[in-house]
Amino acid sequence: MAEKSFKQRLHDIIFYSDSPAEKAFDIAIIILILISVSVVMLGSVDIINADFGHVFVIVEWVITVLFTLEYFTRIYTEEKKLKYIFSFYGIIDLLSILPTYLSIIISGANMLVVIRLLRLLRIFRVLKLVRYINASETLAEAISNSRTKILVFLEAVLIIVTIMGSLMYLIEGPEAGFTSIPRSIYWAIVTVTTVGYGDIAPQTPVGQLFAGMLMIVGFAIIAIPTSIIGSEIIKTKDTTDKLCPHCGSSNHHKHAEYCYNCGGKL
Amino acid sequence: MAEKSFKQRLHDIIFYSDSPAEKAFDIAIIILILISVSVVMLGSVDIINADFGHVFVIVEWVITVLFTLEYFTRIYTEEKKLKYIFSFYGIIDLLSILPTYLSIIISGANMLVVIRLLRLLRIFRVLKLVRYINASETLAEAISNSRTKILVFLEAVLIIVTIMGSLMYLIEGPEAGFTSIPRSIYWAIVTVTTVGYGDIAPQTPVGQLFAGMLMIVGFAIIAIPTSIIGSEIIKTKDTTDKLCPHCGSSNHHKHAEYCYNCGGKL
Amino acid sequence: MAEKSFKQRLHDIIFYSDSPAEKAFDIAIIILILISVSVVMLGSVDIINADFGHVFVIVEWVITVLFTLEYFTRIYTEEKKLKYIFSFYGIIDLLSILPTYLSIIISGANMLVVIRLLRLLRIFRVLKLVRYINASETLAEAISNSRTKILVFLEAVLIIVTIMGSLMYLIEGPEAGFTSIPRSIYWAIVTVTTVGYGDIAPQTPVGQLFAGMLMIVGFAIIAIPTSIIGSEIIKTKDTTDKLCPHCGSSNHHKHAEYCYNCGGKL
Amino acid sequence: MAEKSFKQRLHDIIFYSDSPAEKAFDIAIIILILISVSVVMLGSVDIINADFGHVFVIVEWVITVLFTLEYFTRIYTEEKKLKYIFSFYGIIDLLSILPTYLSIIISGANMLVVIRLLRLLRIFRVLKLVRYINASETLAEAISNSRTKILVFLEAVLIIVTIMGSLMYLIEGPEAGFTSIPRSIYWAIVTVTTVGYGDIAPQTPVGQLFAGMLMIVGFAIIAIPTSIIGSEIIKTKDTTDKLCPHCGSSNHHKHAEYCYNCGGKL
């Protein structure tokens, strides 16, 4: 019984964030994540790594051990162990510790690429932060509601960049950097999203005319995803999630007292 | 009668997508389009084409034959044959097969440019995908409703870039890349749409001052098409302008049959 | 009386566009403007001007004579002659013909810069098109209503770019292109508006950190003018321009039957 | 008593802007700020400073003395002196005069960097302008209301750029400019905000594929802050959520006293 209560208390501390102990645990984990990600980032800068490389290794192991403890405590306290292990957060938690352990096993001289990869995989610890973002429900709902429309929009963008990229490949040719259709499509994406690196840019007047048209189209296109999500966010203002208890219809006005469908009292 | 029923079934399989057979046909065509477009794209990459060129030729012919079958079956099963042939989709379907056949006829050594063009025309097969995009009606309606406003907006943008381009041609001159008015207008489009390649950029302080002003104007202008389409999408939202005949309340759901406020029949 | 009626008819043809004759006149003028602007643009391209320069001179004079006729007919038929002459359109109409005539008077060998300037001024003929844009009233009204807010927004942007530009001048120094504060402010404008030419770009890690922050701020800032104009366009949906006949209050709901201020019947 | 009244009058002139004298004072200060900022800016341009450096020094001292007078008069006339001194405006006012005085004290030959820094700090005088911006309340309120959502959005952007930057560091390597993870994250920010300098750009096909995906994601992401602030601005629009107690109609104007539908008192 005492064990159960201890397990339950551990579970609450780890999975919730209401009491001071629960909040302190969350903040500790967030700080560990930020330190860990910073270490991976700074470790990739040669001049910093040369001086502090040995410190980074120690910090790395301390954090890995702490994250390992966290991982197994989560498994221990969770009722539905398998569900957690194979959930998004469970996989992220495992990926946060695995690379460090794997780096001991695989330490042959001819495995440098794999070690480099493992070291980098630790950056995915940043995804552990997702758990602590209080994702605004309205926002998530708006994005989810406009999923279909955004998909249609993305399909349209992909068709446009495929055709414009191919046309520019034909018009400009390899001199201006349009060496293949995939590369020309890459240019079209860079242009239509208004990023515009300038590493590939049309040189001929005809190419510049087409590019100019593509830009103005992209300019008008940029309006569409904005409008879609925007209108969804605004829509979620006037209606409630309440269902009519009589007929089950949804999307009632937030001040509604009677169902618009069956006339019953809500 | 049996023939009619067979023709009718073929027609349904090709033109609709409700039954499993109809859906399977659609998915098959979509996969063929994607393979075909990928082949054209990869074929333009020299190092890939060197190794797999002969495979691409075979895949190309198989797909062309299948698309030819599809094209003639569509003509055969469609009642209004001419209407289909000269419709957007009919022309796209024809353009998807024609270049491959033409490439046999025109195979002289001095026709390389034409062959290159024909090979590229096959990329337009991507337009066959348009048929399978379930274009959101709300979106299409919103774009259509804001047509006039977007036209006004485009006219304004074109006048602005013409004047700014000409001014920069005068201020900067050929040293900075502003070699002619059309090229300077191209620069103005690149700038006002915030693409900013950097291949042509003002060098003189006066030119940079004007460019800075154009950018901030462009910054404000970008708001306009967004707002236009956005407001149209919101207008077509789920409420109607009808008022309740009993209590006069507004903002009823578009499918509402009873007032949400007093419960009276609308 | 007949003269008056002829003058009146001329006036209608020139200033309105309802009857076929009136529409034909408008279309003729629009075509002349487009030809004229194209000639100025093509004349600035050296290789085209070398071949067609003499044709351009003739076209130029024909169009100038036609625009001169149009200008004097407008003055002749307009009742309030001075008001027209000093109106936006009157000045544009004069500027459309003046440079060509001035170019004969000023033709000394040492006046090449002035002639070049005069030639370019003809591009302002494009502004004659403004008359024929059926500017959407809702749009114009929305922009006018949000004037104050956009001004506040521009002031905020100017303060941000001044401070960020000065900071980057201090951090980066002349090696990376930040040779003076005005030039650094130019860089800040290029960055915050997401144009990003890349001719001036931070090289030091600290500079890149600040630039990254400026970009994300700019990213959030871009939302503001969009939202301001958008909300104005949407606002103009639910309210009417009607004033209450009893108390003169405005902004009534479009379905309003009673004044919200004094309760009187609208 | 007379002294009090004089102090009170001074206070009104400095802190308000209703009477002509109060407005004149504000305009004088704004002009002084603009002159001062222009002098700092022009002084950083070598060729201008060479000719006008001695004029700039005089203007600088005149303005500093005037701002010093303003600062002490503000302290003198303000009741809550300490509150003003440690307020945002108080600190800005002090920072506007301090650097000039400090530059006399620290004038050793080996203090050039400090002097350069002090000279630049004067640019912060531009922040004195904030006092005179009539910040639109609706706008400020909308930004404040959407604070949490924008924070969530920024967290999401930071996680995306961290992961994409690290991936690109792995894929591209130092040849294309991705020399470290922080630098690769800088590239990701430059890309996702659509700035696109082009100083660091993917060179390998795989890198370009990932970059293209990041751009399209960024394209969709740009919609989110726009929509958030936009929907907040629209929410604060001219109508209230109050319903008419007599007929139940909604969307009343925020200053409404009578129902627009039935004419009853709200």
Side-chain angles (χ1 to χ4, degrees):
Chain A
M1 167 107 191
E3 200 257 4
K4 166 96 174 104
S5 131
F6 172 72
K7 190 174 167 181
Q8 189 58 44
R9 270 189 55 211
L10 258 179
H11 181 269
D12 289 353
I13 286 172
I14 292 174
F15 286 92
Y16 301 110
S17 60
D18 297 320
S19 78
E22 290 161 20
K23 271 184 193 152
F25 178 81
D26 282 8
I27 290 164
I29 292 286
I30 289 171
I31 290 168
L32 280 181
I33 297 168
L34 293 178
I35 292 173
S36 167
V37 169
S38 306
V39 162
V40 178
M41 277 163 68
L42 294 172
S44 77
V45 184
D46 288 343
I47 52 165
I48 296 177
N49 198 44
D51 289 350
F52 299 97
H54 55 285
V55 182
F56 292 164
V57 171
I58 297 164
V59 174
E60 180 55 38
W61 275 106
V62 171
I63 287 170
T64 304
V65 168
L66 290 172
F67 281 166
T68 311
L69 281 175
E70 185 214 357
Y71 182 60
F72 285 108
T73 318
R74 279 186 193 271
I75 293 178
Y76 169 67
T77 58
E78 184 66 90
E79 284 301 294
K80 297 168 179 169
K81 290 184 206 308
L82 281 175
K83 205 191 148 200
Y84 163 70
I85 291 169
F86 293 104
S87 72
F88 172 75
Y89 293 129
I91 290 163
I92 290 300
D93 287 341
L94 184 61
L95 276 176
S96 300
I97 52 174
L98 219 59
T100 319
Y101 293 115
L102 281 175
S103 69
I104 329 174
I105 304 168
I106 314 158
S107 60
N110 49 2
M111 293 297 246
L112 277 170
V113 176
V114 180
I115 290 169
R116 199 174 123 92
L117 183 69
L118 286 173
R119 204 171 287 164
L120 214 80
L121 273 174
R122 293 173 299 163
I123 205 87
F124 282 91
R125 280 178 189 158
V126 81
L127 286 175
K128 282 172 85 90
L129 281 177
V130 173
R131 194 183 263 132
Y132 303 102
I133 296 179
N134 299 307
S136 151
E137 275 177 41
T138 314
L139 191 58
E141 198 190 321
I143 293 172
S144 161
N145 282 351
S146 42
R147 215 180 34 241
T148 340
K149 285 178 194 169
I150 285 178
L151 224 80
V152 169
F153 162 74
L154 283 183
E155 285 171 340
V157 166
L158 287 177
I159 290 176
I160 290 171
V161 296
T162 305
I163 288 176
M164 286 304 296
S166 304
L167 281 178
M168 289 301 281
Y169 170 66
L170 194 74
I171 295 166
E172 286 285 330
E175 298 79 30
F178 297 83
T179 49
S180 68
I181 294 180
R183 204 172 144 86
S184 302
I185 290 172
Y186 166 71
W187 166 84
I189 293 174
V190 169
T191 299
V192 92
T193 57
T194 79
V195 171
Y197 286 133
D199 50 349
I200 316 171
Q203 304 295 333
T204 63
V206 184
Q208 293 180 340
L209 186 68
F210 270 85
M213 279 162 52
L214 182 61
M215 281 168 217
I216 290 178
V217 167
F219 204 56
I221 277 179
I222 218 170
I224 295 172
T226 313
S227 305
I228 293 169
I229 298 181
S231 68
E232 283 298 331
I233 289 182
I234 291 159
K235 261 185 206 168
T236 54
K237 188 182 65 168
D238 287 337
T239 53
T240 59
D241 288 342
K242 280 191 299 197
L243 295 182
C244 171
H246 307 290
C247 72
S249 61
S250 62
N251 274 338
H252 290 282
H253 191 275
K254 63 179 171 187
H255 299 309
E257 284 176 32
Y258 296 94
C259 173
Y260 64 76
N261 187 50
C262 68
K265 194 102 173 81
L266 286 180
Chain B
M1 167 110 189
E3 199 258 3
K4 166 95 174 105
S5 133
F6 171 73
K7 190 173 168 182
Q8 190 59 41
R9 270 189 54 210
L10 257 180
H11 181 269
D12 289 354
I13 286 172
I14 292 174
F15 286 92
Y16 302 110
S17 60
D18 297 320
S19 78
E22 290 161 20
K23 272 183 192 152
F25 178 82
D26 282 8
I27 290 163
I29 292 286
I30 290 171
I31 290 168
L32 281 182
I33 296 167
L34 294 178
I35 292 173
S36 166
V37 169
S38 306
V39 162
V40 178
M41 277 161 69
L42 294 172
S44 78
V45 184
D46 288 343
I47 53 164
I48 297 177
N49 198 44
D51 289 350
F52 298 97
H54 54 285
V55 182
F56 292 164
V57 172
I58 297 164
V59 173
E60 179 56 39
W61 275 105
V62 171
I63 286 170
T64 304
V65 168
L66 290 172
F67 281 167
T68 311
L69 281 176
E70 184 214 357
Y71 182 60
F72 285 108
T73 318
R74 278 186 192 271
I75 293 178
Y76 169 67
T77 59
E78 184 65 271
E79 284 301 292
K80 296 166 181 171
K81 290 183 207 306
L82 280 176
K83 204 191 147 200
Y84 163 70
I85 291 170
F86 293 104
S87 73
F88 172 74
Y89 293 128
I91 290 162
I92 291 298
D93 288 340
L94 184 61
L95 276 176
S96 299
I97 53 175
L98 219 59
T100 320
Y101 293 115
L102 281 175
S103 68
I104 329 173
I105 304 167
I106 314 157
S107 60
N110 49 1
M111 293 297 246
L112 278 170
V113 176
V114 180
I115 290 168
R116 199 174 122 93
L117 183 70
L118 286 174
R119 205 170 286 165
L120 214 81
L121 273 175
R122 293 172 299 164
I123 206 86
F124 281 91
R125 281 178 189 156
V126 81
L127 287 175
K128 283 172 84 91
L129 282 177
V130 174
R131 194 184 264 134
Y132 303 102
I133 296 179
N134 299 308
S136 151
E137 275 177 40
T138 313
L139 190 60
E141 198 189 321
I143 293 171
S144 160
N145 283 350
S146 41
R147 214 178 35 238
T148 339
K149 285 178 192 169
I150 285 178
L151 224 79
V152 169
F153 162 75
L154 283 183
E155 285 170 340
V157 166
L158 287 177
I159 290 176
I160 290 171
V161 296
T162 304
I163 288 175
M164 286 304 297
S166 304
L167 281 179
M168 289 300 282
Y169 169 68
L170 194 74
I171 296 167
E172 286 285 330
E175 298 79 29
F178 297 83
T179 49
S180 68
I181 294 181
R183 203 172 145 87
S184 302
I185 290 173
Y186 166 71
W187 167 85
I189 293 174
V190 169
T191 298
V192 93
T193 58
T194 80
V195 171
Y197 286 133
D199 51 349
I200 316 171
Q203 304 294 332
T204 63
V206 183
Q208 292 180 341
L209 185 69
F210 269 86
M213 279 162 52
L214 182 61
M215 281 168 217
I216 290 178
V217 167
F219 205 55
I221 277 179
I222 217 170
I224 295 173
T226 313
S227 305
I228 293 168
I229 298 182
S231 68
E232 284 298 331
I233 289 182
I234 291 159
K235 267 186 202 166
T236 56
K237 67 180 174 182
D238 291 343
T239 51
T240 58
D241 289 341
K242 281 191 300 199
L243 295 181
C244 172
H246 307 291
C247 71
S249 61
S250 63
N251 277 338
H252 291 283
H253 191 275
K254 64 180 170 186
H255 299 311
E257 283 177 34
Y258 296 94
C259 174
Y260 63 77
N261 187 53
C262 67
K265 193 100 173 86
L266 288 179
Chain C
M1 168 106 191
E3 200 258 4
K4 166 93 173 110
S5 131
F6 170 72
K7 190 174 167 182
Q8 190 59 43
R9 269 191 54 212
L10 257 180
H11 180 269
D12 290 353
I13 286 173
I14 292 174
F15 286 91
Y16 302 110
S17 61
D18 297 319
S19 79
E22 289 161 22
K23 271 183 191 152
F25 178 81
D26 282 7
I27 289 163
I29 292 287
I30 289 171
I31 290 169
L32 280 181
I33 296 168
L34 293 179
I35 291 174
S36 166
V37 170
S38 305
V39 162
V40 178
M41 276 162 69
L42 294 173
S44 77
V45 184
D46 287 344
I47 52 165
I48 296 178
N49 198 45
D51 289 350
F52 299 97
H54 54 287
V55 182
F56 292 164
V57 172
I58 297 164
V59 173
E60 179 56 39
W61 275 106
V62 171
I63 288 170
T64 304
V65 168
L66 290 172
F67 281 167
T68 311
L69 281 176
E70 184 214 356
Y71 182 61
F72 286 107
T73 319
R74 279 187 192 271
I75 294 177
Y76 169 67
T77 59
E78 184 65 89
E79 285 299 292
K80 297 164 179 173
K81 289 184 208 306
L82 280 176
K83 203 190 147 201
Y84 163 70
I85 290 171
F86 293 104
S87 72
F88 172 75
Y89 293 129
I91 291 162
I92 291 298
D93 287 341
L94 183 62
L95 276 175
S96 300
I97 52 174
L98 219 59
T100 320
Y101 293 114
L102 280 175
S103 68
I104 328 174
I105 305 168
I106 315 157
S107 60
N110 48 1
M111 293 297 247
L112 277 171
V113 177
V114 180
I115 290 169
R116 200 174 121 92
L117 183 70
L118 285 173
R119 204 171 286 163
L120 214 80
L121 273 175
R122 292 171 301 162
I123 206 86
F124 282 91
R125 280 176 189 158
V126 81
L127 287 175
K128 283 172 84 92
L129 281 178
V130 174
R131 193 184 264 132
Y132 304 102
I133 296 179
N134 300 307
S136 152
E137 275 177 39
T138 314
L139 191 59
E141 199 190 320
I143 293 171
S144 160
N145 284 349
S146 42
R147 214 179 36 239
T148 340
K149 286 178 193 169
I150 285 179
L151 224 80
V152 169
F153 161 75
L154 283 183
E155 285 171 340
V157 166
L158 287 177
I159 290 175
I160 289 172
V161 297
T162 304
I163 287 175
M164 285 303 297
S166 303
L167 281 179
M168 289 300 281
Y169 170 67
L170 193 74
I171 295 167
E172 286 284 332
E175 298 78 29
F178 297 83
T179 49
S180 68
I181 294 181
R183 204 172 144 86
S184 301
I185 291 173
Y186 167 70
W187 167 84
I189 293 174
V190 169
T191 299
V192 93
T193 57
T194 80
V195 171
Y197 286 133
D199 50 350
I200 316 172
Q203 303 295 333
T204 64
V206 183
Q208 292 179 340
L209 186 68
F210 269 85
M213 279 162 51
L214 182 62
M215 280 168 217
I216 290 178
V217 167
F219 204 56
I221 277 179
I222 218 169
I224 295 172
T226 314
S227 305
I228 293 168
I229 298 182
S231 68
E232 284 299 331
I233 289 182
I234 292 159
K235 261 186 206 166
T236 54
K237 186 183 67 167
D238 286 337
T239 53
T240 58
D241 289 340
K242 279 191 302 197
L243 296 181
C244 172
H246 308 290
C247 70
S249 62
S250 63
N251 276 337
H252 291 283
H253 191 276
K254 64 181 170 185
H255 299 309
E257 284 177 33
Y258 296 94
C259 175
Y260 63 77
N261 188 51
C262 67
K265 193 99 176 84
L266 286 179
Chain D
M1 167 111 190
E3 200 257 4
K4 165 96 173 112
S5 129
F6 171 71
K7 190 175 167 181
Q8 190 58 44
R9 270 189 56 212
L10 257 180
H11 180 269
D12 290 353
I13 285 172
I14 292 173
F15 286 91
Y16 301 110
S17 60
D18 297 319
S19 78
E22 290 160 21
K23 272 184 192 150
F25 178 81
D26 282 6
I27 289 163
I29 292 286
I30 290 171
I31 290 168
L32 280 181
I33 297 168
L34 294 179
I35 291 173
S36 166
V37 169
S38 305
V39 162
V40 178
M41 277 162 68
L42 293 173
S44 78
V45 184
D46 288 343
I47 52 165
I48 297 176
N49 198 44
D51 289 350
F52 299 97
H54 54 287
V55 182
F56 292 164
V57 171
I58 298 164
V59 173
E60 180 54 39
W61 275 106
V62 171
I63 287 170
T64 303
V65 168
L66 290 172
F67 280 167
T68 311
L69 281 176
E70 184 214 356
Y71 182 60
F72 285 107
T73 318
R74 279 187 193 270
I75 293 177
Y76 169 66
T77 59
E78 183 66 89
E79 284 300 293
K80 297 168 179 170
K81 289 183 208 308
L82 280 176
K83 205 190 148 201
Y84 163 69
I85 290 169
F86 293 104
S87 73
F88 172 75
Y89 293 129
I91 291 162
I92 291 299
D93 287 342
L94 183 62
L95 276 175
S96 301
I97 52 174
L98 219 60
T100 318
Y101 293 115
L102 281 175
S103 68
I104 328 175
I105 304 168
I106 314 158
S107 61
N110 50 1
M111 293 296 246
L112 278 171
V113 177
V114 180
I115 291 169
R116 201 175 121 93
L117 183 69
L118 286 173
R119 205 171 284 163
L120 214 80
L121 273 175
R122 294 172 299 164
I123 206 86
F124 281 91
R125 281 177 188 159
V126 81
L127 286 175
K128 282 171 84 90
L129 281 177
V130 174
R131 192 183 263 133
Y132 304 101
I133 296 179
N134 301 307
S136 152
E137 275 176 40
T138 313
L139 191 58
E141 198 190 320
I143 292 172
S144 161
N145 284 350
S146 42
R147 215 180 34 239
T148 340
K149 286 178 193 168
I150 284 179
L151 223 79
V152 168
F153 162 75
L154 282 183
E155 285 170 340
V157 166
L158 287 178
I159 290 176
I160 290 172
V161 297
T162 304
I163 287 176
M164 286 304 297
S166 304
L167 281 179
M168 290 301 281
Y169 169 67
L170 194 74
I171 296 167
E172 286 285 331
E175 298 80 30
F178 297 83
T179 49
S180 68
I181 295 181
R183 204 172 144 87
S184 302
I185 290 173
Y186 167 71
W187 166 85
I189 293 174
V190 168
T191 299
V192 93
T193 57
T194 79
V195 172
Y197 286 133
D199 50 350
I200 315 171
Q203 303 295 332
T204 64
V206 183
Q208 292 179 341
L209 185 68
F210 270 85
M213 279 162 52
L214 182 62
M215 281 167 216
I216 290 178
V217 167
F219 205 56
I221 276 179
I222 218 170
I224 295 173
T226 313
S227 305
I228 293 168
I229 298 182
S231 69
E232 284 298 330
I233 289 182
I234 292 159
K235 267 185 201 166
T236 56
K237 67 181 175 181
D238 290 343
T239 53
T240 59
D241 289 340
K242 280 192 299 198
L243 294 182
C244 171
H246 307 291
C247 72
S249 61
S250 62
N251 275 339
H252 291 283
H253 192 275
K254 63 180 171 187
H255 299 310
E257 284 176 34
Y258 297 94
C259 174
Y260 64 77
N261 186 53
C262 68
K265 194 101 174 82
L266 285 181

